[in-house]
Amino acid sequence: MDFERLQFLLQRYFDQLLTVEERAELATMLLASARARDEFWETARWHALIRQWGEAEWGRRDAEVLAQRPLPTAVAPRATAKVIQFPRPAANVWRAALAVAAVVAFFVAFPALMPWQESAAPIPASAALASVAVLTHSADAVWEAESAARKSGESLAPGWLKLKSGAVQVEFSRGARVVLEGPAEFELLTDNEAFLRVGKLRAHVPEPAHGFTVRSSDFSVVDHGTEFGIDLPLAGPSQVHVFSGLVALHRPDNAVRQLRKDQAVTIDKGRVKETAARRDRFLSDEELARRERASAHGKLAAWHQASRILSEHPAALLHLDFEGARTWARSIPNRAWRAVPEAPASMVGGRFADGRWPGKGAVEFTGPDDRLRLSLSGGYHSLTLVAWVRVDSLPDRPQSLIMADGMGTGDIQWYISRWGELGFGVHIGKQDDATGWRYHHTGAVITEETLGSWVCLAVVFDGDSDMVTHYFNGQAIGAQQLGVRTLLQLETFEVGNWALRDGEQRLAGVVPRGHADTARNLHGRIDELAVFSAPLSADEVRRIYESVQAPAQENHAALKTAITR
């Protein structure tokens, strides 16, 4: 979206100067972008405030005039009708009132843009319902669908968890704790109840969660303060094992059977047979933790292999892996094969922290002065930027990923908008011309659901096609031609912040005098960053994302083939 064009159209709209073509263009912008609608309402709010001030000011002046007039003498009532003369409003008040009327008229023409219409739209279940549990641990979990994947630390609303393989731990709000092994289909019903369609689970139920219930199509298990296991295979009989305490097994025919410590039953075609409980058939919390550590270790080893491949990419300009001495060092070496050893990234503020896995390094940005500063000289026909990022909050301002220091021709900016969009801009105007940017924004991809989770972000600018393409976790999420016919450059630039200070931004026209909120610092972590002087293909970007999802040799071979062909 062209933000400058939007501002121009909004001003013409409230001045009642829009042509038919401009009105259609503005309507298209508002229908397509939540950010554009926010700007519309903000402008409308100011016009309404001006109208309100005008009415109040005119009323105050009228009251002052009336107060200075002498009181009228008493006269006898007259039979003739009395005409009341109201003071004539000032011209600017009429203009403000017309602006507000225009807002109403616009939304009568486009009712889908009304805020109450938008809020009346169906709300996804995950957003409409309060969370009932938390996914606390995960070991090699492979989900049935990428869109349904869950991460450690994620709050869970009522709904399905569908595992193809691996294992996860789920802690219910009432205190029950379940280790679920795939393949499994497990539905969260309430904060103390679930439905198991298929799979294997082990539940630990403390006293506050007394009455925790797991239902299935053939029976229900109601806990009375215990530890138990349920096995519902894809084919074959089901089993219920009690390791401590007491559970009640409820059957469809209303029969209830009490099972105590070390008792178990096999349920096959409606028949119940007693057997001995076996703890070793179910994954414990301790074993899940061990697998989780082994999984993280394997992914870290996989990343080391993939990282070397990125450093050796023929077009690699920059590769920061944040490995090495993380206790005292304040510079981060550039691992790219053609990097100048004497030109590392300088760390200003910030601190070293854990990355995607235990043992993986990262830099955490929290304060308004936290940043990395470095230089890459030269101009580039095309560029690809890739970063693994954990965003911890969405403040009411943009958050920088990579931004050139100044506003020279070809300077670039890559950032996260205050709405969670990915933005990429190229400066094509004169030096320090704040209006000389060409931008492209995606829809919102950093949301409350992704805060605190590691995501792979990438943007590719192809100079041949003049096309910018954004990627989120290996998938293209937006593309547009920018209208840029100049070489891109970074020169001196920053990671996680923007160098222009308040005074410099005022001189450049970026912010008005007296506006102090000029921070563009990232609030989160980065544990890998790469810049390439070539437009990587969609397959290459996807392979970079997939190469560390599991320690599989074929992923590394595919990555190496993709980026060296």
Side-chain angles (χ1 to χ4, degrees):
M1 182 185 67
D2 189 337
F3 187 72
E4 294 175 11
R5 179 64 176 171
L6 172 66
Q7 291 292 333
F8 171 77
L9 292 175
L10 287 177
Q11 291 304 320
R12 287 180 59 80
Y13 174 77
F14 285 104
D15 289 340
Q16 297 290 293
L17 297 175
L18 280 182
T19 65
V20 174
E21 293 79 9
E22 288 172 337
R23 179 178 290 273
E25 182 182 358
L26 177 59
T28 300
M29 285 183 173
L30 294 173
L31 287 167
S33 170
R35 181 184 182 187
R37 294 194 290 274
D38 286 344
E39 290 295 331
F40 183 95
W41 282 113
E42 182 69 10
T43 307
R45 185 174 71 87
W46 280 108
H47 278 261
L49 288 173
I50 292 172
R51 176 185 63 81
Q52 184 179 11
W53 175 86
E55 291 175 345
E57 181 67 12
W58 190 259
R60 182 186 64 79
R61 293 178 183 179
D62 284 347
E64 290 178 352
V65 172
L66 289 173
Q68 294 172 2
R69 294 180 182 177
L71 292 173
T73 56
V75 294
R78 299 179 60 180
T80 56
K82 183 178 181 180
V83 178
I84 301 175
Q85 297 287 342
F86 290 96
R88 183 178 180 180
N92 61 346
V93 176
W94 279 113
R95 284 196 291 270
L98 285 173
V100 174
V103 174
V104 176
F106 183 87
F107 284 108
V108 168
F110 301 98
L113 297 181
M114 297 297 280
W116 50 85
Q117 292 286 347
E118 185 172 341
S119 63
I123 301 174
S126 60
L129 301 175
S131 65
V132 296
V134 178
L135 193 148
T136 49
H137 294 282
S138 173
D140 296 323
V142 178
W143 299 90
E144 187 174 278
E146 177 68 24
S147 59
R150 300 290 184 263
K151 296 180 174 62
S152 295
E154 183 174 346
S155 296
L156 303 174
W160 285 98
L161 300 178
K162 296 184 178 182
L163 271 178
K164 292 175 66 176
S165 61
V168 297
Q169 184 184 74
V170 176
E171 294 184 357
F172 287 79
S173 301
R174 289 270 298 275
R177 185 171 69 249
V178 168
V179 174
L180 183 68
E181 299 179 64
E185 295 184 11
F186 186 63
E187 184 181 13
L188 307 178
L189 300 176
T190 71
D191 61 358
N192 212 37
E193 186 177 1
F195 177 84
L196 182 65
R197 177 181 292 166
V198 66
K200 186 186 294 186
L201 67 79
R202 182 170 183 163
H204 174 78
V205 185
E207 184 60 30
H210 182 90
F212 177 70
T213 302
V214 178
R215 304 185 184 278
S216 75
S217 57
D218 295 330
F219 59 86
S220 296
V221 174
V222 180
D223 162 78
H224 296 289
T226 186
E227 185 178 8
F228 64 88
I230 300 177
D231 185 7
L232 296 181
L234 292 170
S238 305
Q239 293 190 346
V240 178
H241 296 239
V242 179
F243 308 128
S244 64
L246 174 71
V247 303
L249 179 68
H250 294 254
R251 300 292 310 285
D253 58 4
N254 295 323
V256 180
R257 184 168 186 155
Q258 303 291 333
L259 297 177
R260 300 182 183 277
K261 179 180 178 180
D262 295 331
Q263 287 185 322
V265 293
T266 298
I267 305 170
D268 187 11
K269 298 179 181 179
R271 292 180 297 181
V272 179
K273 180 181 177 181
E274 291 190 8
T275 184
R278 293 184 54 182
R279 295 174 180 265
D280 59 339
R281 292 193 55 183
F282 297 87
L283 192 63
S284 67
D285 294 340
E286 294 78 10
E287 177 61 19
L288 176 64
R290 189 195 65 77
R291 290 189 186 183
E292 186 175 42
R293 289 192 297 270
S295 175
H297 181 75
K299 288 183 177 181
L300 185 58
W303 171 78
H304 278 295
Q305 290 183 265
S307 177
R308 285 193 293 270
I309 296 173
L310 290 187
S311 296
E312 296 167 0
H313 191 291
L317 295 171
L318 173 72
H319 185 210
L320 304 181
D321 61 9
F322 303 99
E323 294 297 286
R326 298 200 295 267
T327 55
W328 53 267
R330 302 304 292 173
S331 62
I332 300 169
N334 182 358
R335 307 290 188 187
W337 66 275
R338 56 177 173 174
V340 178
E342 294 79 17
S346 298
M347 192 169 167
V348 180
R351 69 179 186 89
F352 287 106
D354 285 334
R356 280 166 276 173
W357 315 284
K360 172 72 184 77
V363 167
E364 184 172 38
F365 304 84
T366 55
D369 293 315
D370 293 352
R371 67 194 70 218
L372 302 179
R373 286 186 61 81
L374 59 164
S375 297
L376 284 177
S377 59
Y380 305 98
H381 185 61
S382 301
L383 279 178
T384 297
L385 316 175
V386 182
W388 280 92
V389 183
R390 194 191 83 179
V391 181
D392 292 336
S393 68
L394 279 175
D396 190 22
R397 54 171 173 75
Q399 299 186 72
S400 167
L401 296 172
I402 291 179
M403 284 193 175
D405 256 10
M407 296 185 185
T409 302
D411 283 348
I412 68 169
Q413 294 184 345
W414 186 34
Y415 55 92
I416 301 166
S417 79
R418 58 178 173 165
W419 296 277
E421 309 159 332
L422 299 183
F424 180 76
V426 180
H427 195 271
I428 62 171
K430 296 180 180 179
Q431 183 73 31
D432 294 333
D433 178 7
T435 66
W437 292 93
R438 291 290 178 87
Y439 290 107
H440 176 248
H441 293 89
T442 67
V445 293
I446 304 299
T447 62
E448 289 186 1
E449 289 73 22
T450 62
L451 292 180
S453 299
W454 286 97
V455 294
C456 183
L457 308 179
V459 63
V460 177
F461 178 77
D462 188 336
D464 290 335
S465 62
D466 184 40
M467 185 72 70
V468 58
T469 306
H470 292 271
Y471 293 85
F472 182 82
N473 284 345
Q475 299 296 317
I477 57 171
Q480 177 181 309
Q481 287 186 311
L482 275 190
V484 172
R485 299 299 179 191
T486 185
L487 292 179
L488 276 56
Q489 65 177 17
L490 286 163
E491 295 297 336
T492 299
F493 65 99
E494 296 193 339
V495 175
N497 218 321
W498 192 24
L500 287 180
R501 305 299 185 268
D502 183 53
E504 294 170 317
Q505 292 193 47
R506 284 201 301 269
L507 290 174
V510 179
V511 294
R513 181 175 297 278
H515 192 289
D517 183 17
T518 60
R520 294 293 183 269
N521 61 296
L522 176 68
H523 192 243
R525 300 180 182 184
I526 298 177
D527 79 349
E528 189 168 21
L529 180 70
V531 177
F532 305 92
S533 60
L536 299 192
S537 68
D539 184 58
E540 289 175 300
V541 175
R542 179 177 58 84
R543 290 293 184 184
I544 290 174
Y545 168 69
E546 292 179 347
S547 63
V548 293
Q549 299 308 299
Q553 295 299 324
E554 57 269 22
N555 279 345
H556 302 129
L559 174 63
K560 192 166 186 177
T561 300
I563 69 175
T564 57
R565 63 170 177 246

